Each structure stands twice: as C-alpha cells, then as structure tokens.
Amino acid sequence: MAALLELRNMTVALGRSETAKVILDDVSFSLAPKEIVGVVGASASGKTVLSRAAVNWLEPPLTRRSGTVLFEGRDIYAMKEADMRALRQRVSYVGSNPMGALDPTLPVGAQIVEKMRAVMPDVSRRQADDRVIALLDAVRIPSARSRFHDYPSQFSGGMMQRALIVDALVTNPAVLVADNVTQPLDVTVAAQVIRLIKELTDQFDTAVLFISSS
Ligand SMILES: Nc1ncnc2c1ncn2[C@@H]1O[C@H](COP(=O)(O)OP(=O)(O)OP(=O)(O)O)[C@@H](O)[C@H]1O
Ligand SMILES: [Mg+2]
C-alpha cells in the first residue's frame, strides 16, 4: 500500500554547527494507512525527537540537518502555514506530559470541543458537546457528562492521558503519533490506555506511530 506518512533519511542535530551532536542519524520509516508501527528504545535514544520530526514540530536547538517527511506524498517541511494547519488536523500528536498539554484555566470538555469545532465548523456546539462526551465515555472516564465540565487540575494523571487521546482523535486524524503515552501511568492503566488506542484507531481507521521505552 502507498505510504501515508514517510520519513526519509532524517538527520537531526543539537544546533546548526557541523560539530553539533547528532540525535537522529539518517532515520527512515514509512507508515501505511491503518497500519500500526512501533518504535522502542532506551531513554534518551531519540524517540521524542523522532516523533516531533515526523510532525514538523522540532524546536531549537533541535535542527533538521537533512531528510524530509512526506504526508500523502507531500513534503510537510515545504508546506505553507495554512497547509500546515490543515495537516495538524490529519496528523495528531499525544505526548507523555498530560498535565502540561491543556490550558489549566479552561474546562477539559470545552477545550476539546473548541478544537473539534475549529476543524469541523459545520458541527453545532451541541453536537460537538455530545460527541466529546461520548468519546470521554468511550475512553472510560467515569461520569463523563459531569467530568466534561472539570478543569485539568481536577483530573487524575490517568484520566488526563485518556482525555488527551480523545483530544487527539476528535478531529478524526489519519495518523496518531503516540509518544510514550503510557510512561506516566501505572501498568494497569497503561494496559487500558493501549487497549483503548487500539479500539479507537480500529474504529476510525487511524494509522499509529506508537513509541515506547519498554
Ligand atoms: N531541546 C533539547 N535540548 C537539548 N538536548 C535535547 C533536546 N531535546 C532532546 N535532547 C537530547 O536528545 C537526546 C534524545 O532525546 P529524546 O527526548 O528524543 O529521548 P527519548 O528517547 O524520547 O527518551 P525518553 O524515553 O526518556 O522519553 C537526549 O540525549 C536529549 O538529551
Ligand atoms: Mg521521550
């Protein structure tokens, strides 16, 4: 099958100088539609840098020295701002720091609804609320309808990680990049979260780049 997301000969260094430390050295992989690709490596081996490079989200001092990423055959490093914004709806990223990922001053549900409606302006407020509540329920957030109104600080770590999976999948992306999502969780919750990602991505035909340190 043609690749959906393809990383080609990616080399990333810590800075621009020729002597800068190389973090990724000529890394390539491809992800087909609906495929799940796993990346396993020790801590500090470059997994987060790889997953950020895959979504064009490297920040200084991390510098792409060579290589590129194609999404549906288009070079994401050559995209204009508007195309990049559209890409963010098709390629979602979930990291391992759930507490820092949402705005602490706004309720969890409202933030996810806002993201969904930014992408899908034809969806009414009411429909968006209902869909987000249904998804919060699907990731087994207890009393989803009332938790929808909670602020991020009122969620436990495991609940927040699950809410972020909802946040990542609410726009129905073609690709989910899941970077160490189970790292902050105890093994039982981690196993549930993995099962949920599998169920939801099966349901929505999402391809997954699943990154884990063990
Ligand atoms: N912004 C940065 N500034 C300096 N060094 C960085 C930066 N980001 C990553 N590094 C370095 O790049 C290397 C790879 O880091 P990365 O975060 O990708 O590791 P990882 O495989 O995701 O580890 P973990 O399993 O602990 O999440 C590490 O040596 C790290 O110190
Ligand atoms: Mg990491």
Side-chain angles (χ1 to χ4, degrees), residues 42-49 51 93 96 179-180 183 211 213:
S43 185
S45 59
K47 300 181 302 296
T48 294
V49 174
S51 56
Y93 177 95
S96 58
D179 177 21
N180 243 344
Q183 189 204 9
I211 291 154
S213 41

Side-chain angles (χ1 to χ4, degrees), residues 5-81:
L5 189 74
E6 190 178 356
L7 202 94
R8 282 196 186 157
N9 307 104
M10 182 61 71
T11 296
V12 174
L14 261 183
R16 301 194 165 274
S17 88
E18 254 175 55
T19 54
K21 184 179 168 198
V22 171
I23 309 289
L24 298 182
D25 186 5
D26 197 24
V27 178
S28 301
F29 71 81
S30 75
L31 186 66
K34 307 181 199 177
E35 188 180 25
I36 299 179
V37 168
V39 176
V40 182
S43 185
S45 59
K47 300 181 302 296
T48 294
V49 174
L50 173 72
S51 56
R52 297 285 194 105
V55 298
N56 189 359
W57 194 16
L58 292 173
E59 284 166 349
L62 294 166
T63 308
R64 181 176 59 117
R65 191 177 272 180
S66 62
T68 194
V69 176
L70 304 178
F71 176 70
E72 293 176 332
R74 293 178 62 207
D75 183 350
I76 71 170
Y77 281 92
M79 281 181 180
K80 299 210 163 62
E81 189 64 29

Side-chain angles (χ1 to χ4, degrees), residues 101-121:
L102 290 184
D103 182 340
T105 66
L106 291 170
V108 172
Q111 294 188 57
I112 304 177
V113 163
E114 190 186 335
K115 175 174 167 181
M116 183 182 173
R117 294 197 66 210
V119 178
M120 302 166 164

